[in-house]
Amino acid sequence: MKNIVILISGRGSNMEALIRARDAGELPVNIAAVISNRPDAEGLATAQAAGIATWVMNHKAFPDRESFDAALAECIDDFAPDLVVLAGFMRILTEEFVRHYEGRLLNIHPSLLPSFPGLHTHQQALDEGVRLHGCTVHFVTPALDHGPVILQAAVPVLDGDDEATLAARVLAQEHRIYPQAVRWFAEGRLRLEGGKIRLDAPLDGTGALISPVLR
Ligand code: NHR
Ligand code: GAR
């Protein structure tokens, strides 16, 4: 069974979705550790309650990104993961760090990339007036939020939406597609090859793009 390490910074609901999928027998992985860069991340208690080893690597204790990333990588590598999963992890990672985990580092980003990279994606979508928004699972590459796309889910933007209502609609889809993508990786059906996604999986109703029907 593959070993994964999950990196969080806050609430950890995507981490929780992965734990739930594992507990339901739908995600054949060993969650070796959950690491947070923030000592006050709510997700740490959730992981502990699930009996998972937790670790805090406070970025504020390091003088620069390079030294933080080096220490973080050392901490991660103690658990010998096959896959590292960013789940609401809020620190930009150095090129050196990303290269070290090439092909085994995933992120979920709360927009339909390549639209709205960076932060405040739901406000960006509202400001732009798009009718479809969503989330993207991608392999992490040095260029922020520009790695090869594995899976996306779309949701409608509705009249009267604000950042909170839109974020909640997107988050529900994040909780579906992230366990699916990690499962593909765990089953050896997903890999990065020459900078492109190689996916040996049927895109049926269980994990494909969700196209809302607007009436
Ligand atoms: N690192 C690399 N090299 N490439 C990616 O694609 C990455 C990454 C690190 C994190 C997640 C990403 C997201 O899904 C991610 C993808 C943090 C920021 C950010 O600006 C931007 C994007 C993402 C994560 N962080 C600020 C920073 O200075 C700090 C913000 C904070 O602490 O609240 O690092 O959106
Ligand atoms: C999620 O919406 C995730 O996509 C996003 O933050 C939220 C974390 O929620 N990630 C980023 O914005 C990364 N910069 P969670 O902690 O409950 O999983």
Side-chain angles (χ1 to χ4, degrees), residues 7-17 43 86-91 107-111 118-122 134-136 144-145 167 170-171 174-175 178:
L7 304 190
I8 64 169
S9 296
R11 178 179 53 188
S13 72
N14 275 293
M15 170 204 75
E16 220 179 325
L86 305 184
F89 184 70
M90 297 307 291
R91 298 301 299 174
N107 180 45
I108 189 154
H109 180 78
S111 79
L119 304 177
H120 312 294
T121 55
H122 308 301
C135 48
T136 301
L144 186 67
D145 296 331
V170 171
L171 191 66
E174 295 184 36
H175 297 165
Y178 216 4

Side-chain angles (χ1 to χ4, degrees), residues 57-123:
M57 288 292 299
N58 188 345
H59 63 276
K60 291 181 181 158
F62 295 85
D64 49 40
R65 284 188 196 269
E66 286 70 25
S67 56
F68 169 66
D69 280 14
L72 180 61
E74 213 175 289
C75 182
I76 293 169
D77 288 344
D78 279 345
F79 298 98
D82 300 290
L83 180 69
V84 178
V85 178
L86 305 184
F89 184 70
M90 297 307 291
R91 298 301 299 174
I92 296 174
L93 297 160
T94 56
E95 170 150 12
E96 193 185 352
F97 181 99
V98 172
R99 295 256 179 253
H100 178 66
Y101 295 103
E102 193 173 1
R104 52 191 184 112
L105 182 57
L106 298 187
N107 180 45
I108 189 154
H109 180 78
S111 79
L112 290 173
L113 290 172
S115 291
F116 316 133
L119 304 177
H120 312 294
T121 55
H122 308 301
Q123 193 57 52

Side-chain angles (χ1 to χ4, degrees), residues 101-183:
Y101 295 103
E102 193 173 1
R104 52 191 184 112
L105 182 57
L106 298 187
N107 180 45
I108 189 154
H109 180 78
S111 79
L112 290 173
L113 290 172
S115 291
F116 316 133
L119 304 177
H120 312 294
T121 55
H122 308 301
Q123 193 57 52
Q124 288 190 59
L126 290 168
D127 292 347
E128 202 61 52
V130 294
R131 288 297 187 182
L132 283 173
H133 184 43
C135 48
T136 301
V137 179
H138 64 96
F139 278 106
V140 175
T141 60
L144 186 67
D145 296 331
H146 278 82
V149 171
I150 298 160
L151 192 53
Q152 295 181 302
V155 302
V157 180
L158 301 177
D159 289 351
D161 265 342
D162 58 23
E163 217 179 336
T165 58
L166 186 54
R169 194 173 305 120
V170 171
L171 191 66
Q173 297 308 318
E174 295 184 36
H175 297 165
R176 295 183 58 237
I177 69 172
Y178 216 4
Q180 173 70 79
V182 174
R183 178 179 183 157

